[in-house]
Amino acid sequence: MPRLVMKFGGTSVADIDRIRNAALKVQREVERGYEVIVIVSAMSGETNKLVGYVREASAGGAAGTPGFYDAREYDAVVASGELVTSGLMAIVLQEMGIQARSWQGWQVPLKTTSAHGAARIVDIPNDNFNAKFADGMQVAVVAGFQGVGDDGRVTTLGRGGSDTTAVAFAAAFNAERCDIYTDVDGVYTTDPRITAKARKLNRVGYEEMLELASLGAKVLQTRSVELAMRYKVRLQVLSSFSDEPGTLVCDEEEIMESRIVSGVAYSRDEAKVTLISVADRPGVAAAIFGPLAEAGVNVDMIVQNISEDGRTDMTFSCPHDQVPGAVRAIEAAQSAGEIEFRALDMDENVAKVSIVGIGMRSHAGVAQKMFRALAEDGVNIKVITTSEIKVSVLVDRKYMELAVQSLHDAFELHKVS
Ligand code: ASP
Ligand code: MG
């Protein structure tokens, strides 16, 4: 029998009515002849609440200052949210006359590393499920987000990890598709709050999805998309509150339309930092970015320019709230004599806007079209970076919406599907 993985996020299982609604969707697939593996998240808000308890219980864990708690016990606590919803989903399915049972991570077993709180999946053996399916089980309801470590204890996969659970099961059981039910009905050409012209994409490539997700379209956990790409799992993002088809995240070869740009992504709270006049010799970039990495600064764009005096200006961007940490790291390296520069210039009011599309690989002139559109709307570009399927610019934050709208129009994304 063909297999299907169906994952329901927190808002889709937020109460018993919603669990019933989700179960009806499962029933429909069972009736279509699938053996179904359902992955559930905790009820929405539940995991945050559990994390809050852990912080409160641990020494020094006053609000905002996480205590030094035992990560194994953190996992024991936060994994419990999914146990509740998996059991409830199984009960509701049984009420509908479906042969369903719940599976906790260790029962499958979903084997992981023992990096508690951020475990990686190592293996999902098939034998248990295969035996039960052969024995008449129609639906396996799996608690998402959790597994068992090589230390024999409960682990969790990091926040948002049940998407990754779902994709891993789809790969392990060779599922025809992995449907991710959530509270949005798909992936859009851009944020519909910024322009009403945003359109739902019928299909999007894995790589495009990765760029769109990391740039703010946070529909799927990034790791789950990487995993889907590696194992070529066809992923569908769709709403559990409608019957419309969603967006299929799939291999490029499955995308027939010849569109060049698929979406405009943005990230609002960026900052730009420039070290003016650093020496132009080997080792300088390493001396600057080493301390930044150690300080945990997420450096994004990097631009290096030779200035008039034959020295170099080094510009980078990072999240706005990491600027104080970045400045501290740079000044410490300066005091230690590891780097020298004339001045530090900061612009904390910038945003990043990017166009993303696999078609860029084979089409010239895309960047220039982007720059022209921005120029025509009077938007000044501060930094530019490109990759094979993406062009990003930094602009003044107050022009971010305008820039997104202007690019959405320029690439006629209202016509995309
Ligand atoms: N419940 C977990 C979280 O909130 C996992 C998930 O929902 O994906 O992070
Ligand atoms: Mg989620």
Side-chain angles (χ1 to χ4, degrees), residues 83-415:
L83 302 183
V84 174
T85 45
S86 60
L88 291 172
M89 176 65 85
I91 291 172
V92 170
L93 287 166
Q94 288 170 9
E95 292 284 318
M96 295 174 166
I98 295 170
Q99 301 279 335
R101 67 155 277 193
S102 66
W103 295 82
Q104 304 187 354
W106 64 272
Q107 293 171 321
V108 174
L110 186 146
K111 297 185 184 168
T112 72
T113 61
S114 50
H116 287 275
R120 322 263 325 163
I121 298 172
V122 175
D123 187 26
I124 307 180
N126 294 0
D127 350 346
N128 278 340
F129 274 28
N130 285 343
K132 293 287 180 190
F133 275 128
D135 220 28
M137 176 174 74
Q138 293 172 294
V139 180
V141 186
V142 179
F145 177 52
Q146 60 175 265
V148 55
D150 44 31
D151 58 357
R153 302 193 56 173
V154 175
T155 54
T156 62
L157 306 178
R159 297 305 306 273
S162 53
D163 290 339
T164 299
T165 308
V167 173
F169 271 90
F173 288 91
N174 220 342
E176 197 171 293
R177 212 175 53 242
C178 180
D179 286 342
I180 306 274
Y181 285 89
T182 175
D183 49 7
V184 296
D185 58 0
V187 180
Y188 278 71
T189 50
T190 195
D191 186 341
R193 288 170 301 187
I194 294 189
T195 168
K197 294 181 197 163
R199 288 281 305 265
K200 188 172 80 186
L201 294 160
N202 291 331
R203 291 178 180 222
V204 66
Y206 295 118
E207 283 177 83
E208 289 175 322
M209 187 62 208
L210 281 172
E211 295 289 5
L212 293 168
S214 64
L215 293 166
K218 289 201 185 63
V219 197
L220 293 172
Q221 199 200 32
T222 304
R223 225 170 111 194
S224 70
V225 182
E226 287 165 357
L227 199 64
M229 179 157 92
R230 174 139 27 102
Y231 293 99
K232 293 215 194 289
V233 171
R234 302 169 82 236
L235 262 180
Q236 183 180 205
V237 178
L238 69 178
S239 166
S240 49
F241 307 112
S242 86
D243 280 321
E244 297 293 306
T247 299
L248 186 71
V249 187
C250 58
D251 206 51
E252 272 175 46
E253 271 103 66
E254 279 198 68
I255 302 177
M256 304 305 275
E257 310 97 298
S258 59
R259 67 179 181 234
I260 296 167
V261 171
S262 298
V264 183
Y266 66 87
S267 154
R268 189 184 301 270
D269 296 311
E270 300 290 316
K272 174 169 86 75
V273 179
T274 303
L275 285 80
I276 299 171
S277 186
V278 300
D280 184 16
R281 60 174 155 72
V284 168
I288 295 170
F289 294 104
L292 288 170
E294 273 159 38
V297 178
N298 295 310
V299 171
D300 178 21
M301 306 161 104
I302 299 178
V303 179
Q304 181 188 325
N305 248 342
I306 302 298
S307 55
E308 279 170 21
D309 52 7
R311 290 169 66 89
T312 291
D313 288 347
M314 191 74 86
T315 297
F316 67 90
S317 71
C318 68
H320 172 243
D321 57 3
Q322 293 183 0
V323 170
V327 171
R328 248 179 281 126
I330 291 167
E331 287 177 349
Q334 185 187 33
S335 309
E338 287 153 16
I339 50 178
E340 41 100 15
F341 51 89
R342 197 176 73 233
L344 207 51
D345 178 63
M346 266 155 323
D347 185 347
E348 297 181 61
N349 295 305
V350 293
K352 182 168 74 167
V353 177
S354 310
I355 52 172
V356 174
I358 43 186
M360 276 183 220
R361 282 207 190 106
S362 45
H363 285 80
V366 181
Q368 109 84 17
K369 185 167 172 181
M370 174 187 200
F371 305 151
R372 173 151 316 275
L374 294 174
E376 277 165 8
D377 280 326
V379 178
N380 187 37
I381 300 170
K382 304 192 151 198
V383 175
I384 302 168
T385 57
T386 64
S387 78
E388 226 188 349
I389 65 160
K390 177 177 76 167
V391 184
S392 301
V393 296
L394 282 187
V395 300
D396 273 330
R397 187 170 304 132
K398 61 175 185 276
Y399 296 128
M400 188 193 82
E401 273 91 355
L402 174 62
V404 170
Q405 289 156 357
S406 144
L407 296 172
H408 201 271
D409 287 344
F411 291 96
E412 303 195 306
L413 294 180
H414 56 283
K415 292 185 186 160

